[in-house]
Amino acid sequence: MTNPFTIGYASLNDEISVASLPIEGTIPRWLVGTLLRNGPAKFEFEQEELWHWFDGLAMLHRFSFQDGNVSYANKFLQSDANKTSKEEGRITFPVFASDPCKALFKHSVTEMMLNPNVSIQKVSGDFLALTEIPLPMAFDPHTLDTLGVVEYKDHLTGQHSSAHPLYDFASKTMISYMTEFGLESTFKVFGIKSGEHQRTLIGSYPVAEPSYIHSFSITERYVVIAEYPYRVVPAKLLTGGKSFIQNFEWRPQDPTLFIVMSKQDGSIIGRYESEAFFSFHHINAFERAGEIIVDLSAYPDTKVIDESNLPNLRKGRNDGKDPYTAPSEYRRYHLPLHGSSSTVTYELMSEYEIELPTINYPRSNAHDYGVAYGISLARNAPVLLAHQLVRVDVHERTSNFWSAEGCNPGEPIFVQAPDARAEDDGVVLSVVLNANKGNSFLLVLDAHTFEELGRAEVPHHIPLGIHGMYFPEV
Ligand code: CO
């Protein structure tokens, strides 16, 4: 058995294409389409190494399903960052958390070399690899060839955005946000109408010291932003020479703020305070009986960012005073739509950790929902690597799991069956690292029972990735 902590974060240099992967069990014949995934896959160059997992060179992976067969291909995103860092043997692009030689704020975003290694989205017909720099890179979903940077025909400016835009099915608009850092910083929420290649401002507000925000949520009428007390220190920005995240400071004595903006006219209809917490991923939000419900995966602090450095992850456990990174809790915050209370509290929705959460997005995004999926750790597990998938019944508040000896699953993706009635009629897909065999496989679970239906074996290991998306049309 290989060590999962070593191979999960080991570079993958091979680019392959396989017409039909060996299958164990059965892949449903109705599953026709493509799972596209993104993630960091190369961490060292001849003269320099990346320090942080989030900074590895972007690699795309494609799993296509037809007639119970699964084909697979993988390719590095052919960015200038990829080309120059390999040619020059050093880090040539701005980094999120590794020690930088190029700082985000020293260059205008259009001059920068991009390494969009976080997520995949389809926006106005373009398949995009995204990071948090607001310049997505388009690629061909069949060949995985890189097509180039998408520049929008508008005048919206900002240096930091989200790799998790949300599609508002009612208005056929992709909604996201950008922060423009400056002497007076501004947080901007914008929309891209389906079919258009320009961003339209929905609303904006000034922020003295912007917070690091990774995702957000929408409801029928509102955009919900959580501002964590993980804020830019302006003096650090001025001195430069830091990675992006080194410009931020965790202030546990300050509250986390929820800001609710009208999608209609951009007005702020509510501001709420809670105890300090940090989150990468909102799970969902919706309006119900005079309140907004916001569900997210919450950490008590930002230690998870520091601890996700490669030397630490490859050891498999952290060296700090605490035995492990505090788990990310499945929390439900209640924001009253009327009334005077601006201090909000939460309920714990599951006693188990949840990260990389997903729902039946087309059906449940911005609406009340019954099931969420994620990666998870057993309570108090002394490791940093998720070893099970969790399915949470949101109404019953019960959880069930999939796990297998020596296996570490990645982000679960829900795919709805063609004749679906219930919210969870369908399958859950996950790329699983198998340390027993030193490779990865694509796992297919029944989304309702959480039982394994089948798996397709990939010839090599796939470094633990971040996000992906399923496209029935590809
Ligand atoms: Co994310």
Side-chain angles (χ1 to χ4, degrees):
M1 178 167 156
T2 53
N3 180 342
F5 308 117
T6 314
I7 66 162
Y9 305 102
S11 296
L12 170 64
N13 291 306
D14 294 343
E15 299 179 316
I16 63 171
S17 176
V18 182
S20 187
L21 296 176
I23 286 168
E24 233 178 77
T26 309
I27 310 295
R29 296 183 78 84
W30 61 257
L31 190 63
V32 178
T34 293
L35 171 68
L36 293 169
R37 289 193 55 76
N38 194 354
K42 185 170 176 65
F43 305 101
E44 55 284 307
F45 309 106
E46 249 165 54
Q47 298 165 45
E48 272 184 317
E49 265 179 46
L50 289 159
W51 179 73
H52 202 280
W53 178 39
F54 295 169
D55 287 322
L57 280 182
M59 181 181 269
L60 303 172
H61 302 266
R62 172 181 68 70
F63 293 89
S64 296
F65 304 87
Q66 189 146 35
D67 302 325
N69 286 315
V70 184
S71 68
Y72 168 78
N74 68 314
K75 207 171 262 187
F76 279 105
L77 201 65
Q78 292 305 315
S79 60
D80 288 343
N82 180 297
K83 192 165 172 275
T84 56
S85 58
K86 285 178 181 170
E87 278 172 9
E88 297 176 26
R90 59 184 188 87
I91 304 160
T92 58
F93 48 95
V95 288
F96 179 81
S98 298
D99 278 339
C101 50
K102 299 229 184 269
L104 175 61
F105 299 100
K106 272 163 59 186
H107 301 262
S108 82
V109 290
T110 48
E111 293 172 339
M112 282 189 315
M113 288 201 202
L114 300 165
N115 176 35
N117 65 0
V118 181
S119 68
I120 305 266
Q121 288 285 338
K122 187 181 179 185
V123 182
S124 292
D126 295 328
F127 287 85
L128 304 177
L130 297 185
T131 179
E132 294 179 345
I133 295 168
L135 282 176
M137 203 169 278
F139 65 93
D140 181 315
H142 302 279
T143 62
L144 303 183
D145 286 337
T146 301
L147 302 174
V149 172
V150 173
E151 289 187 57
Y152 292 106
K153 299 181 191 79
D154 59 52
H155 301 289
L156 270 190
T157 49
Q159 297 90 357
H160 185 260
S161 185
S162 178
H164 296 288
L166 291 171
Y167 191 67
D168 182 33
F169 288 86
S171 63
K172 296 188 168 57
T173 302
M174 191 64 88
I175 298 177
S176 192
Y177 58 80
M178 252 194 306
T179 303
E180 179 153 44
F181 292 89
L183 286 176
E184 289 170 12
S185 297
T186 310
F187 190 84
K188 306 171 182 181
V189 177
F190 63 86
I192 301 172
K193 276 255 180 216
S194 256
E196 292 184 0
H197 282 83
Q198 67 177 48
R199 301 165 296 189
T200 306
L201 189 69
I202 293 172
S204 67
Y205 52 90
V207 199
E209 295 171 322
S211 166
Y212 171 67
I213 304 173
H214 182 77
S215 69
F216 71 115
S217 45
I218 56 173
T219 70
E220 265 176 71
R221 290 178 291 173
Y222 306 112
V223 173
V224 183
I225 307 296
E227 248 183 42
Y228 315 105
Y230 191 36
R231 294 187 178 276
V232 148
V233 181
K236 289 191 177 185
L237 279 183
L238 292 174
T239 52
K242 296 177 190 68
S243 69
F244 173 72
I245 206 68
Q246 285 167 343
N247 295 295
F248 292 77
E249 179 181 81
W250 174 245
R251 299 171 187 166
Q253 69 284 1
D254 291 350
T256 286
L257 306 176
F258 287 97
I259 292 153
V260 178
M261 179 187 282
S262 160
K263 288 198 290 202
Q264 188 68 34
D265 62 10
S267 60
I268 305 297
I269 68 108
R271 285 177 189 272
Y272 310 84
E273 287 189 7
S274 79
E275 80 298 334
F277 74 91
F278 173 72
S279 168
F280 284 116
H281 298 116
H282 286 232
I283 300 171
N284 200 9
F286 55 93
E287 296 163 45
R288 185 174 73 186
E291 60 178 7
I292 297 174
I293 305 283
V294 186
D295 292 350
L296 39 75
S297 160
Y299 297 90
D301 53 42
T302 52
K303 261 189 262 172
V304 60
I305 295 179
D306 264 357
E307 291 182 353
S308 296
N309 69 74
L310 288 162
N312 202 28
L313 291 171
R314 286 168 180 157
K315 279 200 302 265
R317 53 190 305 152
N318 62 59
D319 281 341
K321 281 184 193 149
D322 300 322
Y324 55 96
T325 301
S328 49
E329 294 180 331
Y330 192 153
R331 292 188 188 173
R332 168 162 290 184
Y333 283 86
H334 294 263
L335 318 185
L337 271 172
H338 310 286
S340 56
S341 165
S342 69
T343 302
V344 296
T345 53
Y346 68 89
E347 303 168 77
L348 203 55
M349 300 298 284
S350 167
E351 59 178 307
Y352 299 95
E353 188 210 32
I354 190 165
E355 241 312 350
L356 304 180
T358 42
I359 57 172
N360 181 338
Y361 183 76
R363 175 162 167 159
S364 304
N365 181 36
H367 296 97
D368 199 354
Y369 69 112
V371 189
Y373 311 90
I375 61 167
S376 187
L377 280 170
R379 219 44 173 157
N380 298 346
V383 293
L384 293 168
L385 188 51
H387 60 86
Q388 55 190 2
L389 290 167
V390 63
R391 175 192 182 280
V392 180
D393 183 313
V394 178
H395 296 133
E396 301 292 329
R397 312 253 171 122
T398 53
S399 303
N400 45 340
F401 301 93
W402 176 90
S403 67
E405 180 59 30
C407 291
N408 298 95
E411 178 192 47
I413 304 277
F414 175 81
V415 184
Q416 187 167 280
D419 52 354
R421 293 198 180 176
E423 184 183 331
D424 59 353
D425 278 346
V427 294
V428 165
L429 308 177
S430 171
V431 175
V432 181
L433 183 74
N434 184 352
N436 295 313
K437 295 170 91 172
N439 75 335
S440 296
F441 60 87
L442 187 280
L443 173 71
V444 184
L445 297 179
D446 180 308
H448 180 69
T449 64
F450 232 42
E451 302 275 324
E452 179 171 342
L453 298 173
R455 57 174 78 177
E457 297 280 343
V458 178
H460 52 213
H461 85 281
I462 296 178
L464 292 160
I466 307 186
H467 299 292
M469 201 168 264
Y470 185 83
F471 300 93
E473 70 274 25
V474 179

